[in-house]
């Protein structure tokens, strides 16, 4: 099968190559999915789990990519709940082979059924950002209707999903980003926009929750805007930033079938839409994942037409 592989962390996406690899075999409770569309998060290449298995053994060359949508083509021993020919969407275990390939072996618990009226590219684009938004706002942020949330990077693949979900919950949403992103942030449902390059962040009224993707100085300054007892939720890694009498929660997104089902339901009824910036073929994936100019939104690789 065709697959994208990487061998050196220092090379980053520039070290990606399109090669032929053996097709994976289904283990116990696995399925083989014929991948139709795949997503990739650049941060994957900095994660220790990308380069080793759970026992710490080096597993290079590595096939990257965690987000996928496709069709089940084979079942492993003991597999239940899915059938051959079924459309699915999912998020892989980062310790295993990834989705930038024609086939992938994946645990059934990491997949959710995909209705026939949801495009494969849309499903692949919503898996990681959707789960990140859901877990950050609902599971860790405990966001409620009527609360105020500040969403950093609100025009990006994750931030736009956070903005939409927060709005659907009934929160008042302030989105941040570059000046050029203002219209897009408001189109995704933010009530207000803050330009991080020219506006004064400290002028924002007290908020109940900050969803942070930057870390560093932005996280520190944002923590001071949170009402007593509020929460700073970040995907940027550990931080010393703390809201007054509140919590700072640094989390890593995890696969979750039930949450994916809820997210796909919202995609079907129009409450959520992914921000797709570019769609490329597997043959063009290396170039697409190494753009020469900034791409707004997520790059999706269509493995099959």
């Amino acid at each position: 099968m065709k697959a994208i592989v990487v061998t050196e962390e220092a090379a980053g996406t520039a070290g990606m190559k399109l090669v032929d690899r053996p097709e994976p075999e289904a283990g116990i409770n696995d399925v083989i999915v014929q991948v139709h569309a795949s997503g990739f998060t650049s941060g994957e290449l900095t994660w220790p789990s990308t380069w080793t298995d759970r026992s710490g053994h080096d597993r290079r060359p590595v096939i990257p990519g965690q987000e996928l949508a496709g069709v089940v083509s084979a079942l492993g021993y003991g597999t239940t709940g899915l059938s051959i020919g079924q459309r699915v969407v999912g998020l892989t275990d980062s310790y295993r082979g990834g989705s930038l390939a024609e086939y992938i072996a994946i645990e059934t618990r990491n997949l959710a059924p995909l209705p026939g009226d949801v495009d494969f590219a849309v499903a692949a684009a919503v898996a990681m950002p959707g789960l990140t938004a859901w877990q950050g706002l609902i599971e860790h942020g405990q966001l409620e209707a009527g609360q105020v949330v500040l969403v950093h990077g609100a025009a990006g693949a994750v931030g736009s999903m956070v903005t939409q979900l927060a709005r659907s919950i009934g929160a008042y949403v302030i989105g941040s980003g570059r000046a050029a992103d203002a219209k897009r942030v408001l189109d995704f449902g933010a009530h207000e926009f803050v330009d991080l390059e020219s506006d004064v962040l400290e002028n924002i009224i007290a908020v109940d929750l900050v969803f942070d993707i930057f870390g560093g100085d932005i996280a520190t300054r944002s923590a001071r805007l949170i009402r007593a007892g509020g929460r700073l939720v970040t995907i940027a890694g550990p931080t010393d930033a703390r809201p007054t009498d509140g919590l700072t929660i640094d989390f890593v997104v995890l696969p979750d079938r039930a949450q994916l089902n809820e997210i796909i339901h919202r995609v079907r009824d129009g409450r959520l839409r992914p921000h797709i910036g570019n769609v490329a073929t597997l043959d063009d994936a290396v170039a697409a994942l190494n753009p020469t100019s900034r791409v707004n939104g997520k790059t999706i690789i269509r493995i099959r037409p």
Side-chain angles (χ1 to χ4, degrees):
M1 70 172 182
K2 288 183 179 181
I4 299 295
V5 300
V6 288
T7 56
E8 297 298 333
E9 180 178 345
T13 55
M16 289 180 166
K17 295 180 181 179
L18 179 63
V19 301
D20 287 319
R21 295 287 293 165
E23 291 186 15
E25 296 182 358
I28 297 174
N29 295 323
D30 279 354
V31 298
I32 302 296
V33 175
Q34 184 185 57
V35 183
H36 283 242
S38 172
F40 170 76
T41 302
S42 58
E44 290 179 36
L45 301 186
T46 67
W47 302 340
S49 58
T50 295
W51 305 100
T52 66
D53 62 21
R54 291 189 179 277
S55 298
H57 299 130
D58 194 310
R59 60 183 183 89
R60 287 176 283 189
V62 173
I63 300 174
Q66 280 198 281
E67 304 141 279
L68 71 140
V71 175
V72 175
S73 62
L75 306 178
Y77 179 79
T79 296
T80 60
L82 294 174
S83 58
I84 292 175
Q86 186 170 3
R87 299 171 96 247
V88 290
V89 57
L91 192 68
T92 71
D93 180 335
S94 60
Y95 286 94
R96 300 183 60 176
S99 59
L100 287 172
E102 293 181 306
Y103 294 90
I104 184 174
I106 181 171
E107 291 181 272
T108 55
R109 65 178 180 173
N110 293 343
L111 295 168
L114 179 65
D117 55 355
V118 179
D119 183 76
F120 287 118
V122 169
V126 81
M128 174 81 82
L131 285 171
T132 303
W134 190 281
Q135 291 169 21
L137 290 179
I138 298 175
E139 189 173 327
H140 301 299
Q142 299 182 5
L143 184 67
E144 298 177 357
Q147 291 186 324
V148 179
V149 56
L150 170 60
V151 181
H152 285 311
V158 171
S160 60
M161 195 66 63
V162 175
T163 297
Q164 293 172 80
L165 184 58
R167 180 70 183 255
S168 73
I169 290 171
Y172 186 88
V173 184
I174 304 169
S176 83
R178 304 180 183 186
D181 296 327
K183 183 179 184 304
R184 184 174 293 108
V185 170
L186 296 173
D187 286 346
F188 276 115
H191 295 87
E192 295 181 34
F193 174 76
V194 175
D195 179 0
L196 290 177
E197 297 175 322
S198 63
D199 293 337
V200 179
L201 187 61
E202 286 71 17
N203 286 344
I204 295 175
I205 60 173
V207 302
D208 299 286
L209 172 67
V210 171
F211 191 104
D212 169 55
I213 67 167
F214 297 122
D217 180 62
I218 293 294
T220 300
R221 293 165 62 197
S222 298
R224 301 176 189 139
L225 310 177
I226 301 172
R227 292 188 177 99
R231 299 187 176 213
L232 170 66
V233 175
T234 180
I235 58 174
T239 175
D240 292 330
R242 295 286 183 275
T244 302
D245 297 326
L247 295 176
T248 292
I249 301 165
D250 162 41
F251 80 101
V252 176
V253 65
L254 296 173
D256 189 293
R257 175 183 285 183
Q259 292 173 2
L260 260 181
N261 277 325
E262 292 289 343
I263 291 162
I264 293 298
H265 178 72
R266 284 163 171 75
V267 170
R268 290 186 77 193
D269 66 20
R271 283 181 288 167
L272 290 177
R273 57 187 170 94
H275 184 190
I276 299 176
N278 185 28
V279 178
T281 66
L282 186 58
D283 287 339
D284 295 329
V286 173
L289 295 171
N290 287 277
T292 56
S293 59
R294 183 171 179 252
V295 175
N296 288 312
K298 194 166 190 65
T299 295
I300 294 297
I301 307 303
R302 275 200 182 273
I303 313 297
R304 283 172 178 78

